[in-house]
Amino acid sequence: NVFELSYDREAIDWLLDHVRGNAVIVESAEIDYYRAGGTRVASLTGLSGIRGMHEGEQRYNEDLGPRDGLHAEFWSTTDVARTQQIMEEVGVALIYVGQLERFKHPEGVFKLGQMANDGLLTPIFENERTIIYAVPDRLAQDEAGIYFPQ
């Protein structure tokens, strides 16, 4: 697949301009090598991800397996209640759905769209190929339109 990176660039620039603090963001990170696009959003914004490119340097070894499993389950489960439990457990505030996520996790992307339709997620940014969801009650927004963790 060929991905047009301008859509990611626009979304990442929006995050840089509109999100402050250390919110946890979920994105695809299941690419063999991070320079292939996995963890691109967390890497380029400084936001925390569930998995990181140098996660072994940032977390204890016993925490890596469970976090990897939760990340994979977040995208693979069709169970909305379980998805919400995972978001609560790791403190997810933002979910990034770009071309890579649509390619790697089509069922997960569909589930997130359904959750948004049901009011369980709030779209806060969208372009032709990218959408960023906020988890309700995880972010506040100031008068200038800047989001920050609650």
Side-chain angles (χ1 to χ4, degrees):
N1 273 355
V2 175
F3 299 127
E4 175 58 51
L5 297 178
S6 64
Y7 299 101
D8 274 349
R9 170 70 187 264
E10 182 182 347
I12 289 166
D13 284 345
W14 185 90
L15 285 166
L16 289 168
D17 290 341
H18 292 90
V19 177
R20 299 289 179 269
N22 194 18
V24 175
I25 191 164
V26 177
E27 64 183 304
S28 183
E30 297 175 351
I31 299 294
D32 292 336
Y33 190 58
Y34 70 87
R35 291 187 182 134
T39 70
R40 68 208 180 281
V41 180
S43 297
L44 294 171
T45 63
L47 296 170
S48 291
I50 294 178
R51 295 178 65 187
M53 59 186 160
H54 299 291
E55 60 191 327
E57 298 167 9
Q58 301 166 359
R59 296 184 178 90
Y60 296 110
N61 286 337
E62 61 269 16
D63 293 336
L64 295 181
R67 288 184 76 87
D68 286 354
L70 288 172
H71 182 262
E73 187 179 1
F74 173 86
W75 288 107
S76 66
T77 186
T78 57
D79 184 334
V80 170
R82 179 61 183 141
T83 302
Q84 291 179 296
Q85 286 177 328
I86 294 167
M87 292 188 306
E88 179 68 29
E89 186 172 337
V90 294
V92 173
L94 295 163
I95 302 167
Y96 186 94
V97 176
Q99 295 163 87
L100 179 60
E101 288 73 22
R102 293 175 200 282
F103 175 72
K104 293 290 288 181
H105 314 287
E107 297 86 6
V109 169
F110 179 79
K111 168 190 66 184
L112 296 172
Q114 292 300 111
M115 290 174 71
N117 287 340
D118 293 340
L120 301 173
L121 297 173
T122 304
I124 59 172
F125 172 87
E126 190 167 2
N127 65 28
E128 290 178 36
R129 297 187 187 175
T130 305
I131 187 165
I132 300 170
Y133 296 109
V135 178
D137 302 322
R138 294 288 169 82
L139 297 173
Q141 190 177 27
D142 67 16
E143 308 80 38
I146 303 299
Y147 293 90
F148 54 91
Q150 288 198 33

